[in-house]
mmCIF file with all atom_site columns, all heavy atoms in Angstrom:
data_model
loop_
_atom_site.group_PDB
_atom_site.id
_atom_site.type_symbol
_atom_site.label_atom_id
_atom_site.label_alt_id
_atom_site.label_comp_id
_atom_site.label_asym_id
_atom_site.label_entity_id
_atom_site.label_seq_id
_atom_site.pdbx_PDB_ins_code
_atom_site.Cartn_x
_atom_site.Cartn_y
_atom_site.Cartn_z
_atom_site.occupancy
_atom_site.B_iso_or_equiv
_atom_site.pdbx_formal_charge
_atom_site.auth_seq_id
_atom_site.auth_comp_id
_atom_site.auth_asym_id
_atom_site.auth_atom_id
_atom_site.pdbx_PDB_model_num
ATOM 1   N N   . ALA A 1 160 ? -95.795  -16.215 137.998 1.00 97.00 ? 160 ALA A N   1
ATOM 2   C CA  . ALA A 1 160 ? -96.297  -16.375 136.604 1.00 97.00 ? 160 ALA A CA  1
ATOM 3   C C   . ALA A 1 160 ? -97.419  -17.422 136.577 1.00 97.00 ? 160 ALA A C   1
ATOM 4   O O   . ALA A 1 160 ? -98.449  -17.367 135.794 1.00 97.00 ? 160 ALA A O   1
ATOM 5   C CB  . ALA A 1 160 ? -95.228  -16.793 135.649 1.00 97.00 ? 160 ALA A CB  1
ATOM 6   N N   . THR A 1 161 ? -97.347  -18.527 137.351 1.00 97.00 ? 161 THR A N   1
ATOM 7   C CA  . THR A 1 161 ? -98.402  -19.556 137.426 1.00 97.00 ? 161 THR A CA  1
ATOM 8   C C   . THR A 1 161 ? -99.313  -19.241 138.555 1.00 97.00 ? 161 THR A C   1
ATOM 9   O O   . THR A 1 161 ? -100.121 -20.300 138.934 1.00 97.00 ? 161 THR A O   1
ATOM 10  C CB  . THR A 1 161 ? -97.699  -20.886 137.454 1.00 97.00 ? 161 THR A CB  1
ATOM 11  O OG1 . THR A 1 161 ? -96.706  -20.893 138.491 1.00 97.00 ? 161 THR A OG1 1
ATOM 12  C CG2 . THR A 1 161 ? -97.077  -21.296 136.237 1.00 97.00 ? 161 THR A CG2 1
ATOM 13  N N   . ALA A 1 162 ? -99.294  -18.304 139.285 1.00 97.00 ? 162 ALA A N   1
ATOM 14  C CA  . ALA A 1 162 ? -100.083 -18.025 140.461 1.00 97.00 ? 162 ALA A CA  1
ATOM 15  C C   . ALA A 1 162 ? -100.464 -16.506 140.450 1.00 97.00 ? 162 ALA A C   1
ATOM 16  O O   . ALA A 1 162 ? -100.086 -15.677 141.370 1.00 97.00 ? 162 ALA A O   1
ATOM 17  C CB  . ALA A 1 162 ? -99.370  -18.373 141.833 1.00 97.00 ? 162 ALA A CB  1
ATOM 18  N N   . PRO A 1 163 ? -101.303 -16.057 139.563 1.00 97.00 ? 163 PRO A N   1
ATOM 19  C CA  . PRO A 1 163 ? -101.587 -14.653 139.382 1.00 97.00 ? 163 PRO A CA  1
ATOM 20  C C   . PRO A 1 163 ? -102.362 -14.065 140.626 1.00 97.00 ? 163 PRO A C   1
ATOM 21  O O   . PRO A 1 163 ? -102.412 -12.884 140.869 1.00 97.00 ? 163 PRO A O   1
ATOM 22  C CB  . PRO A 1 163 ? -102.354 -14.514 138.126 1.00 97.00 ? 163 PRO A CB  1
ATOM 23  C CG  . PRO A 1 163 ? -102.932 -15.918 137.803 1.00 97.00 ? 163 PRO A CG  1
ATOM 24  C CD  . PRO A 1 163 ? -101.853 -16.874 138.397 1.00 97.00 ? 163 PRO A CD  1
ATOM 25  N N   . TYR A 1 164 ? -103.043 -15.042 141.371 1.00 98.00 ? 164 TYR A N   1
ATOM 26  C CA  . TYR A 1 164 ? -103.804 -14.654 142.561 1.00 98.00 ? 164 TYR A CA  1
ATOM 27  C C   . TYR A 1 164 ? -103.136 -15.018 143.784 1.00 98.00 ? 164 TYR A C   1
ATOM 28  O O   . TYR A 1 164 ? -103.655 -14.950 144.935 1.00 98.00 ? 164 TYR A O   1
ATOM 29  C CB  . TYR A 1 164 ? -105.202 -15.383 142.511 1.00 98.00 ? 164 TYR A CB  1
ATOM 30  C CG  . TYR A 1 164 ? -105.922 -14.871 141.354 1.00 98.00 ? 164 TYR A CG  1
ATOM 31  C CD1 . TYR A 1 164 ? -106.103 -15.793 140.257 1.00 98.00 ? 164 TYR A CD1 1
ATOM 32  C CD2 . TYR A 1 164 ? -106.652 -13.724 141.125 1.00 98.00 ? 164 TYR A CD2 1
ATOM 33  C CE1 . TYR A 1 164 ? -106.816 -15.419 139.103 1.00 98.00 ? 164 TYR A CE1 1
ATOM 34  C CE2 . TYR A 1 164 ? -107.319 -13.311 140.110 1.00 98.00 ? 164 TYR A CE2 1
ATOM 35  C CZ  . TYR A 1 164 ? -107.444 -14.148 139.017 1.00 98.00 ? 164 TYR A CZ  1
ATOM 36  O OH  . TYR A 1 164 ? -108.124 -13.809 137.953 1.00 98.00 ? 164 TYR A OH  1
ATOM 37  N N   . GLY A 1 165 ? -101.831 -15.471 143.686 1.00 98.00 ? 165 GLY A N   1
ATOM 38  C CA  . GLY A 1 165 ? -100.984 -15.670 144.863 1.00 98.00 ? 165 GLY A CA  1
ATOM 39  C C   . GLY A 1 165 ? -100.755 -17.247 145.022 1.00 98.00 ? 165 GLY A C   1
ATOM 40  O O   . GLY A 1 165 ? -101.887 -18.020 144.788 1.00 98.00 ? 165 GLY A O   1
ATOM 41  N N   . ALA A 1 166 ? -99.543  -17.636 145.457 1.00 98.00 ? 166 ALA A N   1
ATOM 42  C CA  . ALA A 1 166 ? -99.313  -19.049 145.631 1.00 98.00 ? 166 ALA A CA  1
ATOM 43  C C   . ALA A 1 166 ? -100.070 -19.547 146.729 1.00 98.00 ? 166 ALA A C   1
ATOM 44  O O   . ALA A 1 166 ? -100.399 -18.825 147.700 1.00 98.00 ? 166 ALA A O   1
ATOM 45  C CB  . ALA A 1 166 ? -97.828  -19.187 145.842 1.00 98.00 ? 166 ALA A CB  1
ATOM 46  N N   . TYR A 1 167 ? -100.486 -20.827 146.710 1.00 98.00 ? 167 TYR A N   1
ATOM 47  C CA  . TYR A 1 167 ? -101.332 -21.374 147.892 1.00 98.00 ? 167 TYR A CA  1
ATOM 48  C C   . TYR A 1 167 ? -100.812 -22.740 148.410 1.00 98.00 ? 167 TYR A C   1
ATOM 49  O O   . TYR A 1 167 ? -101.243 -23.249 149.232 1.00 98.00 ? 167 TYR A O   1
ATOM 50  C CB  . TYR A 1 167 ? -102.854 -21.522 147.340 1.00 98.00 ? 167 TYR A CB  1
ATOM 51  C CG  . TYR A 1 167 ? -102.868 -22.129 146.058 1.00 98.00 ? 167 TYR A CG  1
ATOM 52  C CD1 . TYR A 1 167 ? -102.709 -23.619 145.737 1.00 98.00 ? 167 TYR A CD1 1
ATOM 53  C CD2 . TYR A 1 167 ? -103.002 -21.350 144.901 1.00 98.00 ? 167 TYR A CD2 1
ATOM 54  C CE1 . TYR A 1 167 ? -102.951 -24.078 144.661 1.00 98.00 ? 167 TYR A CE1 1
ATOM 55  C CE2 . TYR A 1 167 ? -103.130 -21.954 143.662 1.00 98.00 ? 167 TYR A CE2 1
ATOM 56  C CZ  . TYR A 1 167 ? -103.071 -23.353 143.548 1.00 98.00 ? 167 TYR A CZ  1
ATOM 57  O OH  . TYR A 1 167 ? -103.161 -23.856 142.172 1.00 98.00 ? 167 TYR A OH  1
ATOM 58  N N   . GLU A 1 168 ? -99.566  -23.197 147.810 1.00 97.00 ? 168 GLU A N   1
ATOM 59  C CA  . GLU A 1 168 ? -98.977  -24.396 148.292 1.00 97.00 ? 168 GLU A CA  1
ATOM 60  C C   . GLU A 1 168 ? -98.157  -24.140 149.450 1.00 97.00 ? 168 GLU A C   1
ATOM 61  O O   . GLU A 1 168 ? -97.488  -23.151 149.565 1.00 97.00 ? 168 GLU A O   1
ATOM 62  C CB  . GLU A 1 168 ? -98.248  -25.047 147.141 1.00 97.00 ? 168 GLU A CB  1
ATOM 63  C CG  . GLU A 1 168 ? -99.082  -25.489 145.930 1.00 97.00 ? 168 GLU A CG  1
ATOM 64  C CD  . GLU A 1 168 ? -98.238  -25.960 144.785 1.00 97.00 ? 168 GLU A CD  1
ATOM 65  O OE1 . GLU A 1 168 ? -97.011  -26.108 144.987 1.00 97.00 ? 168 GLU A OE1 1
ATOM 66  O OE2 . GLU A 1 168 ? -98.743  -26.056 143.748 1.00 97.00 ? 168 GLU A OE2 1
ATOM 67  N N   . GLU A 1 169 ? -97.975  -25.166 150.344 1.00 97.00 ? 169 GLU A N   1
ATOM 68  C CA  . GLU A 1 169 ? -97.025  -24.933 151.476 1.00 97.00 ? 169 GLU A CA  1
ATOM 69  C C   . GLU A 1 169 ? -95.528  -25.095 150.916 1.00 97.00 ? 169 GLU A C   1
ATOM 70  O O   . GLU A 1 169 ? -95.262  -26.164 150.173 1.00 97.00 ? 169 GLU A O   1
ATOM 71  C CB  . GLU A 1 169 ? -97.209  -26.127 152.466 1.00 97.00 ? 169 GLU A CB  1
ATOM 72  C CG  . GLU A 1 169 ? -96.458  -25.970 153.762 1.00 97.00 ? 169 GLU A CG  1
ATOM 73  C CD  . GLU A 1 169 ? -96.902  -24.823 154.528 1.00 97.00 ? 169 GLU A CD  1
ATOM 74  O OE1 . GLU A 1 169 ? -97.957  -24.466 154.536 1.00 97.00 ? 169 GLU A OE1 1
ATOM 75  O OE2 . GLU A 1 169 ? -95.942  -24.174 155.264 1.00 97.00 ? 169 GLU A OE2 1
ATOM 76  N N   . PRO A 1 170 ? -94.682  -24.080 151.060 1.00 98.00 ? 170 PRO A N   1
ATOM 77  C CA  . PRO A 1 170 ? -93.293  -24.227 150.564 1.00 98.00 ? 170 PRO A CA  1
ATOM 78  C C   . PRO A 1 170 ? -92.406  -25.114 151.558 1.00 98.00 ? 170 PRO A C   1
ATOM 79  O O   . PRO A 1 170 ? -92.739  -25.296 152.691 1.00 98.00 ? 170 PRO A O   1
ATOM 80  C CB  . PRO A 1 170 ? -92.820  -22.789 150.679 1.00 98.00 ? 170 PRO A CB  1
ATOM 81  C CG  . PRO A 1 170 ? -93.653  -22.093 151.758 1.00 98.00 ? 170 PRO A CG  1
ATOM 82  C CD  . PRO A 1 170 ? -94.945  -22.799 151.845 1.00 98.00 ? 170 PRO A CD  1
ATOM 83  N N   . PHE A 1 171 ? -91.372  -25.551 150.968 1.00 98.00 ? 171 PHE A N   1
ATOM 84  C CA  . PHE A 1 171 ? -90.341  -26.239 151.714 1.00 98.00 ? 171 PHE A CA  1
ATOM 85  C C   . PHE A 1 171 ? -89.575  -25.298 152.637 1.00 98.00 ? 171 PHE A C   1
ATOM 86  O O   . PHE A 1 171 ? -89.330  -24.130 152.171 1.00 98.00 ? 171 PHE A O   1
ATOM 87  C CB  . PHE A 1 171 ? -89.245  -26.913 150.782 1.00 98.00 ? 171 PHE A CB  1
ATOM 88  C CG  . PHE A 1 171 ? -89.549  -28.405 150.411 1.00 98.00 ? 171 PHE A CG  1
ATOM 89  C CD1 . PHE A 1 171 ? -89.293  -28.679 149.131 1.00 98.00 ? 171 PHE A CD1 1
ATOM 90  C CD2 . PHE A 1 171 ? -90.077  -29.298 151.248 1.00 98.00 ? 171 PHE A CD2 1
ATOM 91  C CE1 . PHE A 1 171 ? -89.508  -29.938 148.707 1.00 98.00 ? 171 PHE A CE1 1
ATOM 92  C CE2 . PHE A 1 171 ? -90.447  -30.562 150.827 1.00 98.00 ? 171 PHE A CE2 1
ATOM 93  C CZ  . PHE A 1 171 ? -90.127  -30.917 149.531 1.00 98.00 ? 171 PHE A CZ  1
ATOM 94  N N   . ASN A 1 172 ? -89.218  -25.772 153.792 1.00 98.00 ? 172 ASN A N   1
ATOM 95  C CA  . ASN A 1 172 ? -88.378  -25.125 154.760 1.00 98.00 ? 172 ASN A CA  1
ATOM 96  C C   . ASN A 1 172 ? -87.052  -25.782 154.522 1.00 98.00 ? 172 ASN A C   1
ATOM 97  O O   . ASN A 1 172 ? -86.930  -26.909 155.116 1.00 98.00 ? 172 ASN A O   1
ATOM 98  C CB  . ASN A 1 172 ? -88.965  -25.088 156.053 1.00 98.00 ? 172 ASN A CB  1
ATOM 99  C CG  . ASN A 1 172 ? -87.895  -24.795 157.231 1.00 98.00 ? 172 ASN A CG  1
ATOM 100 O OD1 . ASN A 1 172 ? -86.747  -24.618 156.898 1.00 98.00 ? 172 ASN A OD1 1
ATOM 101 N ND2 . ASN A 1 172 ? -88.405  -24.691 158.423 1.00 98.00 ? 172 ASN A ND2 1
ATOM 102 N N   . LEU A 1 173 ? -86.140  -25.276 153.725 1.00 98.00 ? 173 LEU A N   1
ATOM 103 C CA  . LEU A 1 173 ? -84.996  -26.039 153.292 1.00 98.00 ? 173 LEU A CA  1
ATOM 104 C C   . LEU A 1 173 ? -84.094  -26.523 154.493 1.00 98.00 ? 173 LEU A C   1
ATOM 105 O O   . LEU A 1 173 ? -83.711  -27.664 154.512 1.00 98.00 ? 173 LEU A O   1
ATOM 106 C CB  . LEU A 1 173 ? -84.161  -25.289 152.293 1.00 98.00 ? 173 LEU A CB  1
ATOM 107 C CG  . LEU A 1 173 ? -84.888  -24.920 150.936 1.00 98.00 ? 173 LEU A CG  1
ATOM 108 C CD1 . LEU A 1 173 ? -83.895  -24.427 149.944 1.00 98.00 ? 173 LEU A CD1 1
ATOM 109 C CD2 . LEU A 1 173 ? -85.559  -26.229 150.286 1.00 98.00 ? 173 LEU A CD2 1
#
Side-chain angles (χ1 to χ4, degrees):
T161 49
Y164 300 102
Y167 45 83
E168 299 172 8
E169 187 66 32
F171 270 142
N172 166 356
L173 297 188

